[in-house]
Every structure is written in structure tokens, then in C-alpha cells.
Amino acid sequence: MNHFLLAAALILSASAAMACETVTIGDLTVEHAWSKATIGAGRPGVFYVEITNTGSTDDALVGIATPAAGMPMLHETVVQDGIASMPHAMSIPVPAGQSVQLSPGGYHGMLMGLTNALKEGDSFPVTLSFEKAGEVTVNVDVLSLRAEGPDCADAGQ
Amino acid sequence: MLGVGAYRTRNRPARNELLPLPIGEMSWALTDHQGRSVRPKDWAGRPVMVFFGFTWCPDVCPTTLSDISLWLEDLGADANRLIVALISVDPERDTPVVLADYVSNFDPRIIGLTGPAEEVAQAAADFRVTYRRVDKDGGDYTMDHTAGVFLFHPDGRFVSIIDFHEDRRFAVPKIRRTLS
Ligand SMILES: [Cu+2]
């Protein structure tokens, strides 16, 4: 981790619950960006987020980039005949007037080639590329390996 | 349906090939995350909950383990006699030490099991589980695998599967039925 990222991580972990922050780009709202702690840097990390399209034009998430991983990719967990696999998702549709979730057991960002192990309480940026709206960067909270999502309803942020 | 599956003659079991064997008829030999040898007969008389996975899996496996941890918390001390095991389909990377590190993130009643590739294959065959290695760019690989959670009665009979995408609220009552 370089000095900038280290400093950014410290600042971000000082102000808790970035996952509850909302970022907008055009008609898209991006929120609840979170990840799970990893054991070491050898295993892939994961990235979850919620995107809402309030406009009247369909869009699509076509890629992610992050300094936290050398090979970030979009995946979809598919269970067919009881067997789980996670093929590469070329594009995740974000239809007009709808919300799409990258969430456990479905679409997710797969963060391969982690620069460092992801530790609970850390935070790192992920840039999302949309077919129409362009690029937007969100801060991702690293929650525990056991977490099922950020708890944004809670007060005290 | 289960009654038919349990019927067998002395020579050749006649049963639904898709159902897991009763625990007592399984023949795998694995090692737990603390390095102890575990055989099916060690589970005799105990209700059992098993699923297959691997620690390099960032989505399905931690999600299943988080769910199981919540179910166990719901069940409280009632689930103390329940054997809860994650069997690795990736023994090449999932050594007992790696599994110990991994399961320590979840309910302490969950054990990790691994072993030589042929013993993992035997366990998968006994549970009627499918898994396969999927190679990725750069020498990395992932595993496709059966994602359900298997439940067995204390007498070793297979009870049911909690599917990955099943409404998870039904899980706790299902588990409770295997405890008695
Ligand atoms: Cu994935």
C-alpha cells in the first residue's frame, strides 16, 4: 500500500460506515459499498454494492477497477442443479427505474490479486464503469468475514 | 420417498442414487481443522449438518457459513450435539491449518474437514456431491461445487437439504427436526 492509500485508509477508517454514503452520477445512485475481510492476500476479496437507476434510460455496469486488487472482475454466482459456479459477468444490467444489487449469492465484484489482505475496518476505493453514465468512485468498507451487509439503519455514524 | 431409499438387500443397495448415503454406510476418512482424524462412525448417534466448499471461495462459502452461524445462534444449546462440518473440495490449498484459520471466523461449533484428494472424492461420492476445478487466467483456479447444506438424523439417515437459494427462515425448523 502506498502512502496515499495508507493515509486514505486511516482517514476512512476514522470516519466509520462509508458504506452508508451515497454517491450519484447522472441518474445513478451508488450506495452500500462493502467487502469482507480476507485471510491473507492470496485469496480473492469480494465487492458488493447497490445501484439505483432513477432515470428513463437503461444502463449497465461493465467493469470495476481498484488499487486494492490487480485483477478485479464482475462475477455472478449461479446455482444450477444445486451446483454453485461463478462465471464472469460481462455486463450487469441497471434498467431504468430499477435497483440492482451486487450481494452475497448473486452478482459480485471478485477482487483477485489483492495488494494486501483486507482487514475489518479498512476502506478502499472502487471505480465503477457504466456503459452510459461513465465512471464513479465509491469507498468500500471492509466488514468481517461473517458480515451479511452494512448496517446503515443504525444511528451514530 | 426416504423409506424407499433406505430399503436394501444384503448384496446390493437398491436406493435413489441421488440421495446421500446414511452416515453409517459412508467410507471416507478425513482430518479436521485441529489435525484429528474423523471417520463417519465417529458421528454415530449425533445429528449431522454438512456442506461442501473451499476457503478460497469469497461469496457462496462465507455466506453459507454466516447463515449457519446465525442458525446455530438461534438454536442455542439445543444444537450443541449437532455435528456441523465444512468439507473442503479444495484439499490442495485447504490444509487443516488453513481451515482452522477460516472456521475461527464463524460459530465455534463448525469444524473443517480435509484430506487426500481421493478421500475428498470418496466423501463427495457418499454425499452425492459434485465438484470440479475451473482454471482461471494466470494459473489461478476456483471450484464449482454442490452448494446445499445436508441434514442427517442421529441414526445416520439423510433427512433433507437446505438449498442455497431456499428461504433461509425455513432452515432453523428443518434443523430442529433433525435434533430429536
Ligand atoms: Cu466470484
Side-chain angles (χ1 to χ4, degrees):
Chain A
M1 194 180 272
N2 65 37
H3 291 304
F4 168 73
L5 279 180
L6 185 60
L10 290 174
I11 293 162
L12 293 174
S13 51
S15 64
M18 301 301 295
C20 300
E21 199 184 57
T22 299
V23 178
T24 57
I25 177 168
D27 292 328
L28 303 183
T29 302
V30 180
E31 58 194 333
H32 302 155
W34 64 287
S35 178
K36 287 179 184 176
T38 62
I39 300 171
R43 289 184 182 71
V46 75
F47 164 67
Y48 299 119
V49 72
E50 192 176 330
I51 304 153
T52 303
N53 184 346
T54 57
S56 53
T57 313
D58 293 345
D59 207 332
L61 176 64
V62 292
I64 51 170
T66 175
M71 201 165 69
M73 257 178 133
L74 296 173
H75 277 183
E76 181 179 15
T77 292
V78 177
V79 181
Q80 203 167 11
D81 299 329
I83 299 163
S85 60
M86 39 178 197
H88 176 51
M90 293 300 291
S91 162
I92 299 175
V94 189
Q98 292 186 35
S99 283
V100 61
Q101 290 193 351
L102 277 65
S103 60
Y107 287 120
H108 56 275
M110 182 94 162
L111 309 178
M112 289 169 289
L114 286 178
T115 317
N116 288 289
L118 301 178
K119 296 210 164 32
E120 186 177 351
D122 281 358
S123 179
F124 62 89
V126 167
T127 301
L128 297 91
S129 299
F130 293 98
E131 198 172 74
K132 302 210 175 80
E135 292 189 347
V136 65
T137 300
V138 293
N139 291 303
V140 182
D141 271 345
V142 181
L143 308 181
S144 78
L145 189 54
R146 248 197 89 165
E148 305 213 317
D151 197 358
C152 294
D154 268 7
Q157 290 157 23
Chain B
M1 270 192 321
L2 291 177
V4 174
Y7 169 80
R8 60 187 181 278
T9 64
R10 197 163 178 80
N11 301 323
R12 189 76 205 134
R15 62 164 60 83
N16 185 339
E17 282 300 314
L18 297 175
L19 293 180
L21 293 177
I23 298 285
E25 290 176 31
M26 294 184 175
S27 53
W28 45 264
L30 296 168
T31 302
D32 76 8
H33 64 284
Q34 292 176 309
R36 290 176 302 216
S37 133
V38 178
R39 307 292 302 261
K41 65 172 164 48
D42 300 329
W43 293 352
R46 306 267 299 265
V48 171
M49 178 157 78
V50 166
F51 79 102
F52 287 73
F54 64 114
T55 74
W56 252 252
C57 152
D59 186 51
V60 170
C61 308
T63 302
T64 302
L65 281 165
S66 299
D67 285 345
I68 289 176
S69 297
L70 288 175
W71 302 338
L72 292 174
E73 275 168 26
D74 263 22
L75 291 161
D78 291 350
N80 286 352
R81 280 195 52 76
L82 182 67
I83 300 279
V84 189
L86 156 66
I87 299 181
S88 174
V89 293
D90 185 14
E92 190 180 322
R93 292 186 294 201
D94 289 339
T95 61
V97 172
V98 166
L99 281 175
D101 210 354
Y102 192 74
V103 297
S104 73
N105 289 279
F106 302 96
D107 190 284
R109 287 169 283 191
I110 302 172
I111 64 165
L113 293 176
T114 188
E118 58 278 16
E119 291 297 337
V120 169
Q122 182 62 55
D126 290 347
F127 283 92
R128 313 299 189 222
V129 156
T130 301
Y131 65 103
R132 58 180 161 261
R133 178 178 162 139
V134 180
D135 288 298
K136 299 274 181 194
D137 296 341
D140 202 4
Y141 66 93
T142 183
M143 305 294 299
D144 290 355
H145 60 89
T146 301
V149 177
F150 297 87
L151 292 169
F152 296 82
H153 268 302
D155 66 7
R157 258 181 312 137
F158 168 68
V159 183
S160 60
I161 293 177
I162 302 164
D163 287 324
F164 184 66
H165 280 139
E166 183 172 332
D167 189 323
R168 307 304 246 185
R169 281 173 307 172
F170 299 137
V172 170
K174 260 189 178 175
I175 299 164
R176 211 179 275 286
R177 280 197 293 274
T178 69
L179 298 178
S180 49

